[in-house]
Amino acid sequence: MHGSRRIRTFGADPVSAVLRDVAGHATSGALRPVVDRVYPLADIAAAHRAFEPGGVVGKHVVTVPRRSVRRSPVSAGCGAG
């Protein structure tokens, strides 16, 4: 009790069988994200502005050209062996 109001907490502990079931639906394509807008990396400011008013329903995707993706020195040195 906290004052005159009761405080209740909720702890979610998903069961592994449920997670496997959901993962199966995602893998099969039954669950797919709803994409609202796609922005090129060069227009990242517009992507940020789109979130300002709120009310976003679908996912906003930022595409990154392949030539812009570089391995960092840290991840380049990591590997098995």
Side-chain angles (χ1 to χ4, degrees):
M1 283 298 253
H2 187 298
S4 62
R5 295 184 183 178
R6 234 180 211 183
I7 297 174
R8 296 180 186 214
T9 60
F10 173 76
D13 186 16
V15 179
S16 61
V18 173
L19 292 176
R20 280 193 303 273
D21 189 41
V22 171
H25 289 300
T27 301
S28 74
L31 294 177
R32 295 187 325 222
V34 175
V35 176
D36 182 41
R37 305 247 347 235
V38 178
Y39 299 89
L41 183 58
D43 207 8
I44 192 73
H48 280 274
R49 282 192 302 271
F51 283 99
E52 288 175 2
V56 174
V57 174
K59 300 293 182 191
H60 286 214
V61 177
V62 176
T63 57
V64 178
R66 274 184 125 9
R67 67 179 192 273
S68 294
V69 178
R70 294 192 179 114
R71 293 177 65 176
S72 71
V74 173
S75 64
C78 296

